[in-house]
Amino acid sequence: MVSRQQTEAGAARHEAATAVTKQRGRPRSFDRETALERAILAFWEHGYEATSVSDLTRVMGIGAPSLYAAFGDKRSLFDEVVREYGTRYGSFGERALAEEPTARGAVERMLREAAVEYTAPGRPHGCLVIHAATNCTSPEVEESLRERRNANIAAFESRIKAGIAEGELPADTNAAALARHTGAMIQGMSQQARDGAAREELEALAELAMALWPRP
């Protein structure tokens, strides 16, 4: 039996293919980067499930045929949105892990910068990758976001293990638990930012989180 989601997905693919056919050869009448930025903000504010194609065309200022021709269906657009969000707004964690000389310094910097980024004025608060999974009923999207979150925790654990190997952290440090604690802090700070926590309040949380870190 074909489910309603499968039927809707098939219809969306057909509509996208039709749109591409109609649009092929026509000059694009909108700025793709501007439209993509607006899509990022829409998904960031409302999540994947609650953002409809009609919502997207409205905020992006384009018609459905243009959306499908330029970005594919909603899922394809969301995949691109997540990648671009990571580049434009979410790369502070990767930079901290790569640039700081110690694991402790990297995580402390990441948490402090999260407090700034998650409460920045003029855009949705919190993290798109964390918030977009809320109430998500699309298994593929949910799994994709889960993989990204788990990849972040794996990166934390790798950096912590390097700190142990270098003697920065005690040899008996539980790297996996400390990495999950860091992930829990990031996810919790994102939700609290959406609930109205101020930058200073999140910075205080970051300070408390680092107080739990083991000393050599």
Side-chain angles (χ1 to χ4, degrees), residues 63-142:
S66 294
L67 185 152
Y68 288 124
F71 299 102
D73 60 12
K74 176 183 168 181
R75 169 66 194 280
S76 298
L77 171 59
F78 181 71
D79 288 344
E80 183 172 353
V81 158
V82 170
R83 290 193 299 271
E84 283 300 309
Y85 168 83
T87 299
R88 300 181 189 189
Y89 301 104
S91 60
F92 62 90
E94 292 180 14
R95 290 197 303 270
L97 292 175
E99 295 172 3
E100 291 300 315
T102 65
R104 180 187 179 87
V107 171
E108 183 172 13
R109 171 179 161 182
M110 179 173 60
L111 294 180
R112 290 190 177 281
E113 291 188 6
V116 175
E117 294 294 332
Y118 291 171
T119 58
R123 66 190 196 215
H125 285 176
C127 171
L128 181 150
V129 174
I130 296 170
H131 176 61
T134 305
N135 298 323
C136 183
T137 61
S138 300
E140 298 86 356
V141 173
E142 188 176 23

Side-chain angles (χ1 to χ4, degrees), residues 19-93:
V20 170
T21 300
K22 290 180 178 179
Q23 289 286 319
R24 187 174 292 133
R26 297 181 184 177
R28 187 172 291 152
S29 59
F30 66 94
D31 182 80
R32 193 180 191 280
E33 287 303 304
T34 299
L36 180 59
E37 176 68 14
R38 291 172 179 172
I40 291 172
L41 296 177
F43 281 122
W44 194 350
E45 178 64 33
H46 303 292
Y48 178 80
E49 207 67 40
T51 306
S52 67
V53 171
S54 60
D55 293 330
L56 291 166
T57 56
R58 175 175 51 80
V59 300
M60 295 167 76
I62 60 177
S66 294
L67 185 152
Y68 288 124
F71 299 102
D73 60 12
K74 176 183 168 181
R75 169 66 194 280
S76 298
L77 171 59
F78 181 71
D79 288 344
E80 183 172 353
V81 158
V82 170
R83 290 193 299 271
E84 283 300 309
Y85 168 83
T87 299
R88 300 181 189 189
Y89 301 104
S91 60
F92 62 90

Side-chain angles (χ1 to χ4, degrees), residues 101-104 156-175 178 213-214 216:
T102 65
R104 180 187 179 87
F156 304 158
E157 184 173 352
S158 177
R159 189 67 184 84
I160 291 166
K161 286 181 176 178
I164 296 171
E166 293 163 3
E168 173 212 339
L169 295 168
D172 62 352
T173 298
N174 188 330
L178 197 54
W213 268 57

